[in-house]
Amino acid sequence: RRLASLLSIATSFGVVLLVPDSRGTTWDAIRGGYGPDVEFINRALDQTFARCAVDQRKLAIGGFSDGATYALSLGLDNGSLFTHVMAFSPGFIAARRPSGKPRIFISHGRSDTILPIDVTSRRIVPELEDAGYAVTYKEFDGPHAVPEQVAADAFKWFAR
């Protein structure tokens, strides 16, 4: 729901948003392996590709909180499909078999009490950089959220 609220920002950059929800209370890889969520996303992508003019040479996956963790994990495991990953306040990476080298945008609030920045993004970002990923990292003064300006920065980063 939080990412769907960013539709007007995405539209201003010519970005088509597909905003699926998890099949359970959170994304399947958060609690184990990939399963029904990946199947659902695959079907949704097929439908989107059939209905919209999608440049598959520039395809991003993104999310907020658990969705950011999922986007990072699925994006790294499918880096030959997703060229970009946008993770707003991720908790960890559950990637199992990374492929390709998608560009990565990560943001996190310095006052996040849900997923504290010191044990999440401030650890994730250096690990990704050490693994050779191009990472754009934005910290902001604020809580567990996606501020409009940070979202605009992410879409601008993706659209360039």
Side-chain angles (χ1 to χ4, degrees):
R1 279 176 258 139
R2 290 185 195 210
L3 292 184
S5 68
L6 304 176
L7 181 60
S8 64
I9 296 170
T11 301
S12 71
F13 287 99
V15 174
V16 173
L17 285 185
L18 167 62
V19 187
D21 56 354
S22 64
R23 304 296 79 206
T25 57
T26 191
W27 299 96
D28 51 21
I30 302 297
R31 296 205 171 121
Y34 295 124
D37 289 330
V38 169
E39 295 166 13
F40 179 72
I41 290 169
N42 283 337
R43 287 191 309 273
L45 284 171
D46 287 343
Q47 290 176 1
T48 303
F49 293 161
R51 296 173 68 196
C52 300
V54 176
D55 182 353
Q56 293 186 35
R57 296 169 298 163
K58 192 165 191 174
L59 189 63
I61 185 169
F64 168 69
S65 193
D66 279 359
T69 296
Y70 199 69
L72 268 175
S73 303
L74 198 57
L76 295 177
D77 280 356
N78 294 280
S80 56
L81 172 63
F82 297 109
T83 59
H84 295 70
V85 176
M86 293 186 279
F88 303 97
S89 304
F92 61 95
I93 300 172
R96 286 149 178 87
R97 284 176 247 122
S99 70
K101 290 285 186 188
R103 293 175 51 214
I104 300 169
F105 180 99
I106 295 177
S107 70
H108 214 116
R110 291 184 197 99
S111 303
D112 190 333
T113 58
I114 307 296
L115 293 170
I117 195 170
D118 285 333
V119 296
T120 56
S121 291
R122 287 183 180 160
R123 290 186 181 177
I124 293 168
V125 170
E127 289 173 10
L128 290 169
E129 291 173 335
D130 289 347
Y133 291 95
V135 180
T136 298
Y137 180 50
K138 302 270 184 182
E139 289 187 7
F140 59 90
D141 292 324
H144 193 64
V146 183
E148 280 192 29
Q149 184 56 55
V150 171
D153 291 345
F155 286 115
K156 182 177 181 180
W157 165 86
F158 174 64
R160 64 178 168 166

